[in-house]
Amino acid sequence: MLRFLIFVIFFSSGAVALGGAVLCDDFIQYCRNQHLVRQAQLSIEKLQSLNAEYDALLKQLESDPNAIKRIAPVTLGTRLEDPNTVYPKAHAAELAIARKALAAAEKKPEEVHIPRWLERCSEPAKRIVLFISGASLVLISMVCFTAADDGQDEAETA
């Protein structure tokens, strides 16, 4: 029973080391793909919220005919001269401050999070050592800890 337990421990740790060395690039690609999927989902959510806002705006325009008169000059960039309306004028310094505030509010794209252990394992020298150690653990477990048939060994020597 002890022999079997040692075999399982050596073989499984060797198999994990071999698998990690061989599949290291695939694990890194998986992390990058997961990051791209998260960014795509965020983009989809942003587009869905924009669609909802535009739908609400279209419903408002259909229900209120005066809304077009209020929105058209701002959208088209024309001045509507109404004697009873005050039009604010923005200065360059105020616009620069507003741009900085908007730029700070926008999220910068987040970096791909790859675990540190995976980064270390992906280095070529460490990857080779991991492969060799895994292969040696598998060989040691197969040679030293497998069940030997004593009856066949005695028959061959006689």
Side-chain angles (χ1 to χ4, degrees):
M1 187 66 178
L2 181 65
R3 193 176 195 158
F4 176 73
L5 183 64
I6 293 173
F7 171 78
V8 168
I9 291 171
F10 273 52
F11 186 81
S12 61
S13 61
V16 167
L18 274 173
V22 171
L23 299 174
C24 186
D25 290 334
D26 293 332
F27 289 148
I28 291 174
Q29 189 64 34
Y30 174 77
C31 290
R32 289 186 180 140
N33 287 343
Q34 289 298 317
H35 175 72
L36 291 175
V37 166
R38 279 194 303 273
Q39 284 193 341
Q41 286 175 343
L42 289 174
S43 296
I44 288 172
E45 290 172 4
K46 184 177 178 182
L47 289 173
Q48 287 175 342
S49 69
L50 285 174
N51 281 341
E53 288 176 14
Y54 288 138
D55 288 340
L57 182 63
L58 288 174
K59 287 179 184 175
Q60 183 182 7
L61 290 175
E62 288 174 358
S63 64
D64 185 15
N66 292 329
I68 294 176
K69 292 178 184 176
R70 291 190 307 265
I71 295 174
V74 176
T75 306
L76 300 175
T78 60
R79 286 295 266 206
L80 181 61
E81 297 298 330
D82 189 8
N84 295 329
T85 306
V86 176
Y87 296 103
K89 294 184 180 180
H91 300 291
E94 294 170 346
L95 291 175
I97 293 171
R99 271 193 209 106
K100 286 181 185 177
L102 288 175
E106 290 180 6
K107 284 187 177 179
K108 295 179 182 174
E110 46 183 76
E111 296 180 14
V112 178
H113 176 68
I114 298 173
R116 289 187 62 201
W117 63 268
L118 190 56
E119 289 177 358
R120 287 192 308 264
C121 290
S122 68
E123 296 174 9
K126 292 181 181 176
R127 200 167 165 189
I128 291 171
V129 168
L130 189 64
F131 183 83
I132 292 172
S133 64
S136 63
L137 280 173
V138 168
L139 285 175
I140 288 171
S141 66
M142 293 297 235
V143 170
C144 297
F145 300 111
T146 54
D149 292 334
D150 292 331
Q152 290 181 354
D153 291 338
E154 291 175 5
E156 290 176 1
T157 59

